[in-house]
Amino acid sequence: MTPLLRIEDVHKEFPTQRREVVHAVDGVSLEVRRGETLGLVGETGCGKSTLARCIARLYDVTSGSVWFDGHDITSSSRRELRALRRSVQVIFQDPYGSLNPRRRVGSIIGDPFAIHGIAAGPERKKKVQELMELVGLNPEHYNRFPAEFSGGQRQRIGVARALALRPKLVICDEPVSALDVSIQAQIINLLADLQHEFDLTYVFISHDLSVVRHVSDRIAVMYLGKIVEVAPTEELFGQTRHPYTRALLSALPVADPDTADSREQIILAGDIPSAVGPPTGCRFHTRCPKAGAVCGSSEPPLEPVLDDGPEHRTACFFPLTIGENLSAAVLKAS
Amino acid sequence: MTAIMEVVEAPQIQGRSPFTLAMRRLRRDKVAMVSLAVIALIVLMAVFAPVFAHLTGHPPNEQYRDTGLTPDGLPRGPDGTFWLGTDDLGRDVLVRIAYGARVSLLVGVAATAITVAVGIVLGLAAGFLGGIVDTVLARLIDVVLSVPFLLVAIALVSVTGPSLTITVLVIGFFSWASVARIVRGQVLSLREREFVEAARSLGAGDTRIMFVDILPNVLAPVIVYTTLLVPVVIVTQATLSFLGLGLPPPTADWGGMINEAQAYYTTAWWFILFPGLALLITTLAFNLFGDGVRDAFDPRADRS
Ligand SMILES: Nc1ncnc2c1ncn2[C@@H]1O[C@H](COP(=O)(O)OP(=O)(O)OP(=O)(O)O)[C@@H](O)[C@H]1O
Ligand code: SF4
Ligand SMILES: [Mg+2]
């Protein structure tokens, strides 16, 4: 079966005022399978949102191709995109910025119906109120303005709007990052329930690995515009291959005593390099405790390493073996 | 005692829009409310101008050469027949002021409406579409704002001849640019907001985004500007009339009356005073009301 979404060698560059080029997404290939949740993690500025917008075709990609449901949508016309919008929806990070402050919640959630000419008048109102109920909002609040809701409720509004047209793929761009921890779980559970009910496929973006671990079937780790490791969730945690992934994991509080012994605290040296002139070779070599001479000159391909199956791919010349301690590498390096 | 069963309807929860809140603040503003009452009176006067004619028995353009002028042919002062006196042709000043209100208000509303409609559409287009559209419109705005208005107005009217339509068009043509500039400035920042991208991700086109998503967010400054624009337009219309570029005689209008009264200000004070007062009171009322609207929409704006 063809994957729901497949992107191949997607690049997205932004020109800056100083005639430089930001390589926000720099050659990403990925597939998203029907019904799964693909987690996408990485530090701030690594290009997660840009990649999400390329997938949703809110941006034109600089190069590469995007395939949705077996169709190449890389250079779809406006008209074709309109149809695509019904199948691919985005839930945005900022529940304050993504809702129009001057419009009533009922019309915001009703927008998809209005835009695609699906329902009008009392019928639209009925559909909107059903949606509100579905996401746990009081349908009587139909006439309220976004400012009259809490952050969590606003994100529910965003979810209702995204689900209105029964999309196949929903891209959740840090849907809970702006919310209180106590509220995060509610929204995540809501998303999980809805996925179950409507057979949704999610791309779930977060910089918080613990959230991603909780919701994802597979996880892709991104660093400076590239995917450095992708694997089924438990494998990524159990058989971490990439030093960067390990560094991200080490920042998590220990939840599982079994893996606690192999846990160490790794603090990455230096800042994340600029996406304007990214490092040559392996992007991570400027901060990597295991970096060798080859790392600065050639780029490691994203492929299965050691004895990993085809599901687990890593872009690293010196992948970690199970049980290997990164701090040992730090010592060796120094 | 009878038990009364009351069916309590579930309260329809009505959101309080920023607009509702502004209106609430406006209603508490005494000066604005008094000004609004004055404006209402002027509107009533304009609407019921024929009633004034009926009560006094004097149609606005009827010249009472015997009863309305002194034996030397000068205007008559206020008395029982001509409550606010007569003008140089023996016409009833009160009735003409009432009819003049029609012109002032009509031009004030029509020219402002054109101005605002054009300004909003072009401002939205310039700010939202950007690129070449913006470059062209932004230059056009600069040009219009730097053209000497009266000079061009005089030249234009001398070509076309004075009429109500040309007055409205001239004023509208020279005023839209300020509205467009305000709107454009707001849109430039609004279009970067995430809700615009959200609308796009739902499949909304440019036109819908401009008018459904962005427009409601620029309305507040436009409403404020509009209420302050009406008195400016009224004065402009009076100025054009005063310069003889208003409505062709004998139509009564305040600027024209003041013009005709110039020669008589020593001999017939009422002839110049009452139309002048009418103009002053009207513009003052609109200005004070406009200030109230501005404060209501932006309570933090300083009142200097
Ligand atoms: N419209 C744009 N124009 C120029 N540069 C951009 C633009 N959007 C993103 N960038 C740059 O591209 C890089 C990736 O940004 P992006 O927003 O995709 O990161 P992110 O992973 O989503 O980060 P965050 O976790 O903060 O949301 C950053 O260096 C950012 O400055
Ligand atoms: S390729 Fe080299 S620099 Fe890059 S992550 Fe692996 S060891 Fe580190
Ligand atoms: Mg982001």
Side-chain angles (χ1 to χ4, degrees), chain B residues 54-285:
Chain B
H54 184 77
L55 282 180
T56 56
H58 304 146
N61 297 328
E62 182 77 23
Q63 304 181 358
Y64 295 95
R65 295 182 182 242
D66 305 326
T67 50
L69 294 174
T70 60
D72 327 338
L74 287 173
R76 263 187 196 283
D79 60 19
T81 350
F82 299 99
W83 299 347
L84 297 184
T86 62
D87 69 4
D88 55 337
L89 297 177
R91 295 175 295 194
D92 190 320
V93 170
L94 172 66
V95 176
R96 286 181 68 77
I97 285 179
Y99 275 87
R102 297 185 146 191
V103 174
S104 289
L105 292 179
L106 186 67
V107 174
V109 170
T112 305
I114 293 183
T115 298
V116 170
V118 173
I120 285 182
V121 171
L122 295 188
L124 276 176
F128 186 75
L129 300 177
I132 182 81
V133 179
D134 185 34
T135 313
V136 170
L137 285 176
R139 287 297 152 270
L140 193 63
I141 290 173
D142 289 342
V143 169
V144 170
L145 286 180
S146 52
V147 162
F149 164 65
L150 269 184
L151 237 70
V152 176
I154 291 170
L156 212 76
V157 175
S158 61
V159 173
T160 60
S163 73
L164 193 62
T165 323
I166 199 74
T167 308
V168 169
L169 288 183
V170 164
I171 296 178
F173 181 77
F174 283 100
S175 316
W176 66 267
S178 341
V179 178
R181 178 175 273 186
I182 295 174
V183 172
R184 176 177 174 272
Q186 302 264 324
V187 174
L188 282 181
S189 67
L190 283 168
R191 71 169 181 189
E192 303 299 332
R193 298 270 294 273
E194 209 167 41
F195 65 79
V196 171
E197 188 160 40
R200 215 181 272 295
S201 78
L202 292 168
D206 284 348
T207 317
R208 186 184 163 90
I209 294 180
M210 281 196 274
F211 289 97
V212 177
D213 295 295
I214 292 188
L215 184 57
N217 288 281
V218 299
L219 275 189
V222 169
I223 289 173
V224 171
Y225 186 80
T226 305
T227 44
L228 290 166
L229 186 63
V230 174
V232 175
V233 169
I234 290 178
V235 169
T236 310
Q237 187 275 325
T239 310
L240 287 176
S241 285
F242 180 80
L243 296 174
L245 306 169
L247 302 183
T251 314
D253 96 75
W254 298 345
M257 292 173 79
I258 296 172
N259 179 22
E260 290 155 10
Q262 279 182 96
Y264 297 88
Y265 73 95
T266 45
T267 45
W269 53 268
W270 55 90
F271 186 11
I272 196 160
L273 178 69
F274 293 121
L277 267 183
L279 185 61
L280 182 72
I281 292 173
T282 306
T283 51
L284 193 64

Side-chain angles (χ1 to χ4, degrees), chain A residues 86 110-120 123-124 127 164-166:
Chain A
R86 294 182 59 167
D111 256 356
F113 301 118
I115 290 167
H116 295 274
I118 288 172
E123 192 197 345
R124 186 189 303 167
K127 282 180 179 255
L165 299 177
R166 300 280 181 267

Side-chain angles (χ1 to χ4, degrees), chain A residues 19-72:
Chain A
R19 291 169 164 271
E20 292 162 335
V21 175
V22 180
H23 302 266
V25 173
D26 207 9
V28 170
S29 302
L30 260 185
E31 57 178 53
V32 185
R33 299 167 197 161
R34 286 163 214 275
E36 79 168 346
T37 298
L38 175 73
L40 190 60
V41 285
E43 284 168 292
T44 175
C46 70
K48 304 182 296 293
S49 297
T50 308
L51 182 59
R53 286 171 167 83
C54 290
I55 292 175
R57 290 292 281 103
L58 288 172
Y59 286 160
D60 288 323
V61 301
T62 310
S63 67
S65 57
V66 183
W67 296 71
F68 183 78
D69 220 354
H71 301 283
D72 185 352

Side-chain angles (χ1 to χ4, degrees), chain A residues 26 226 279-283 294-295 297-301 317:
Chain A
D26 207 9
K226 282 194 173 297
T280 53
C282 174
R283 302 264 148 122
V294 61
C295 302
S297 53
S298 44
E299 204 172 314
F317 293 122

